[in-house]
Amino acid sequence: MSDIVVVFHSGYGHTQRVAQAVAEGAEAQLLAIDADGNLPAEGWDLLAAADAIIMGSPTYMGGVSWQFKKFADASSKVWYTQGWRNKLFAGFTNSATMNGDKVATVTYLWHLAMQHGGLWAGLGILPSNDKAATRDAINYVGGYGGLLTTSPSDASPAEMSRGDLETARAFGKRVAELVK
C-alpha cells in the first residue's frame, strides 16, 4: 500500500470535512496545518515518506489561506534539496460561493507542486452539467484541475453537499489508483 498524505488548512471546518472525505477515498493520512500555520512535529517526515501529497486550503480572497502559505513558504527547505521531486500531487479547495475564484487557489497548489518537481493529478471526473443535475450530484461545481467544493457562508460543516463529499472521496480514490 502506498503512503498518501492529505496536508490541509481549514479555518472553519469545511475544508477539514473535505480533507477527511479525500483521505477516506485515498486511504490516506490527514496532516492538519494549525491555526498558526505550522505542522505537528512529525509532519515534515510524513510528507517526506509519502508517495503522494494531496494539498488543501480554503479559498480566502482569491487564494490559499495565510496559514497554508506559511506552510508552502516553509517547504522551500525541501525544495532546495528537491526532496519531493517526482511525487504525485493533487489539490482541493472550498469557498462559500460557487466560483469564488477557486481556480486561482488550485492553480497556486499546482504551481507549488511544479516548484517541487512533482507530478499533478487533476480531478478526472466529468462535471454534472445537464438539466437533471442537482447540487448533490458528483462534481456539480465542475472542477478539472483539482477538487472544488462549495459551502454557503452560513452553513456548518455538517451541512455540506453530499455531492461535494462524494466527489472528494472519488478524487481521493483516483489519486490512490494513480499512485499504484
Side-chain angles (χ1 to χ4, degrees):
M1 182 167 183
S2 299
D3 287 325
I4 301 172
V5 176
V6 177
V7 60
F8 71 96
H9 172 255
S10 182
Y12 299 99
H14 302 89
T15 306
Q16 178 178 344
R17 185 129 189 252
V18 176
Q20 290 166 336
V22 170
E24 181 182 316
E27 298 181 17
Q29 183 162 357
L30 288 169
L31 178 59
I33 299 166
D34 70 19
D36 295 320
N38 300 311
L39 293 178
E42 74 282 359
W44 293 105
D45 292 336
L46 288 173
L47 293 168
D51 296 314
I53 299 172
I54 305 172
M55 303 178 287
S57 173
T59 294
Y60 292 158
M61 305 307 290
V64 296
S65 66
W66 72 262
Q67 292 91 339
F68 190 92
K69 180 70 167 78
K70 181 179 175 183
F71 154 75
D73 289 351
S75 78
S76 64
K77 292 175 185 173
V78 178
W79 166 84
Y80 185 75
T81 63
Q82 288 292 278
W84 294 345
R85 181 176 172 75
N86 294 330
K87 287 185 187 286
L88 185 64
F89 284 84
F92 63 92
T93 189
N94 182 79
S95 71
T97 57
M98 199 57 73
N99 179 325
D101 294 325
K102 290 178 188 61
V103 172
T105 300
V106 170
T107 300
Y108 176 85
L109 299 174
W110 173 81
H111 277 275
L112 180 60
M114 296 302 99
Q115 288 282 317
H116 279 285
L119 308 168
W120 188 258
L123 188 60
I125 301 170
L126 289 173
S128 294
N129 59 7
D130 59 16
K131 291 190 301 184
T134 68
R135 182 64 188 92
D136 284 330
I138 195 162
N139 198 17
Y140 183 83
V141 181
Y144 292 97
L147 172 63
L148 310 178
T149 64
T150 302
S151 313
S153 61
D154 59 349
S156 73
E159 297 174 284
M160 291 187 72
S161 159
R162 288 189 320 268
D164 283 357
L165 296 175
E166 282 303 313
T167 307
R169 280 186 273 282
F171 182 48
K173 184 177 179 183
R174 172 180 163 77
V175 173
E177 289 169 354
L178 290 171
V179 169
K180 288 178 187 176

